[in-house]
Amino acid sequence: MRRLKVAIQKSGRLSEESFQLLKECGIRFESSSNSLIVPSRNFPLDVLYLRNSDIPQYLEDGVADVAIIGENTLVEAGRSIKNELQLGFSKCRVSIAIPKGESYSGIGDLNGKKLATSYPNTVNAFLLKSGIKAEIHQISGSVEIAPSLGLADAICDIVSSGSTLFTNGLKEVEVLFSSEACLASSPAIDQEAKAILNKLLFRVKSVMEARNKKYVLLNAPNEKIEQITSILPGMKSPSIIPLAQSGWSSLHSVIDESQFWEIIDQLKEAGAQGILIVPIEKMIL
């Protein structure tokens, strides 16, 4: 029986969240202690633990059918790999940074400078597009210390909170692009694997949709239902259930996490009582 081979980072910032996402999709695994291949016991899927830099090649060669990988790694690899779905975690920026004490008036300041980076292809493409000529020094890891050691005038690296730059006396001056984890597929994926991938994508989308939503239950006097319904459109319209107490109803709906507090305030002002907020584990649209 065909099994979907999913590559994830062996260790690092993506590994734990990738495995957790698969578990939230209801996929159960055997013990993963010191294993490089971890089979699922209830879904036709095997996880391959690989070095992050090796994953694009494994995808292109068809050794892995799909992978959970950072978009920044895909851009750097520059291969014919399809980004199936952005996953919303491990968000970062690929940015250029310079020492704090130096002035910066624009991209032209990088002309003739030395840039240290682990992303030479990405930086080359950016400089070429910007019409900038600079010397690139490829470094694997600890890029932030290059300016203090005199190896470079600036760096290009991934930035999340910016604390690492601050600690090393650097400031962010150019953002090349924003990145997050994505589910990417091999150009060599066959139809059997594609069918399994579609089932996986369905589960992942359901989990992701639920993360951004809250289930709301509230009680309201019947004369306020129309006003409250305008606040709570829900997926189609709120569910309205008469209560035992005459003249009152219970309304059930779903709201976006981003609008949560604004909507709660509006509900209270409209006369809603007994508001109950429930997390959603999965959401099937």
Side-chain angles (χ1 to χ4, degrees):
M1 180 180 176
R2 184 67 161 91
R3 296 176 67 83
L4 189 71
K5 294 170 289 185
V6 181
I8 68 173
Q9 193 177 60
K10 184 178 180 181
S11 61
R13 64 191 183 93
L14 274 176
S15 183
E16 186 175 336
E17 287 180 286
S18 299
F19 211 77
Q20 180 60 34
L21 175 62
L22 294 175
K23 288 182 177 180
E24 288 180 29
C25 290
I27 300 172
R28 301 290 174 256
F29 296 92
E30 304 296 340
S31 174
S32 61
S33 178
N34 299 318
S35 298
L36 296 180
I37 302 178
V38 183
S40 166
R41 60 176 181 266
N42 66 341
F43 191 84
L45 179 152
D46 295 327
V47 168
L48 312 180
Y49 282 114
L50 301 173
R51 288 196 311 173
N52 193 58
S53 58
D54 291 339
I55 291 176
Q57 187 65 58
Y58 276 77
L59 281 173
E60 190 166 68
D61 292 344
V63 175
D65 299 309
V66 297
I68 298 177
I69 189 171
E71 290 177 294
N72 56 296
T73 304
L74 286 186
V75 171
E76 175 62 21
R79 302 176 189 272
S80 56
I81 297 168
K82 183 179 179 181
N83 182 341
E84 296 280 355
L85 182 67
Q86 291 178 296
L87 299 175
F89 61 85
S90 291
K91 293 185 177 183
C92 63
R93 305 177 298 280
V94 177
S95 298
I96 291 175
I98 65 173
K100 289 179 188 175
E102 294 188 8
S103 61
Y104 187 80
S105 58
I107 189 68
D109 290 356
L110 298 176
N111 258 317
K113 301 292 186 180
K114 292 184 292 184
L115 272 73
T117 185
S118 299
Y119 300 92
N121 296 328
T122 300
V123 175
N124 264 321
F126 175 76
L127 295 178
L128 183 63
K129 181 180 178 181
S130 304
I132 302 299
K133 292 185 178 180
E135 184 180 342
I136 296 176
H137 291 266
Q138 184 174 353
I139 297 177
S140 298
S142 301
V143 174
E144 294 85 359
I145 66 172
S148 63
L149 295 177
L151 297 176
D153 304 299
I155 70 161
C156 182
D157 202 10
I158 56 172
V159 179
S160 297
S161 66
S163 59
T164 303
L165 293 182
F166 181 82
T167 301
N168 287 277
L170 301 173
K171 62 181 180 182
E172 190 175 7
V173 294
E174 293 284 345
V175 177
L176 277 61
F177 62 90
S178 295
S179 171
E180 63 185 76
C182 68
L183 188 62
S185 64
S186 167
I189 190 169
D190 60 43
Q191 289 303 309
E192 285 185 285
K194 184 68 175 178
I196 302 171
L197 172 59
N198 288 336
K199 292 180 180 180
L200 177 62
L201 284 168
F202 175 77
R203 295 192 184 195
V204 171
K205 289 175 182 178
S206 298
V207 169
M208 290 178 61
E209 189 68 28
R211 287 178 177 176
N212 299 321
K213 304 289 184 182
K214 296 291 183 183
Y215 192 75
V216 181
L217 303 88
L218 60 89
N219 298 329
N222 288 343
E223 65 269 18
K224 297 288 187 178
I225 288 178
E226 185 176 351
Q227 181 181 356
I228 289 176
T229 298
S230 68
I231 300 170
L232 281 177
M235 289 177 285
K236 291 184 178 177
S237 64
S239 300
I240 303 173
I241 304 170
L243 295 177
Q245 182 178 346
S246 178
W248 283 76
S249 296
S250 174
L251 279 71
H252 299 199
S253 189
V254 175
I255 61 176
D256 288 327
E257 175 74 28
S258 61
Q259 299 175 303
F260 177 77
W261 289 112
E262 179 184 348
I263 289 179
I264 295 301
D265 289 340
Q266 292 179 38
L267 291 174
K268 290 175 65 180
E269 291 174 4
Q273 297 181 17
I275 302 173
L276 181 63
I277 310 300
V278 182
I280 302 173
E281 185 175 328
K282 307 288 187 299
M283 190 167 173
I284 312 301
L285 298 178

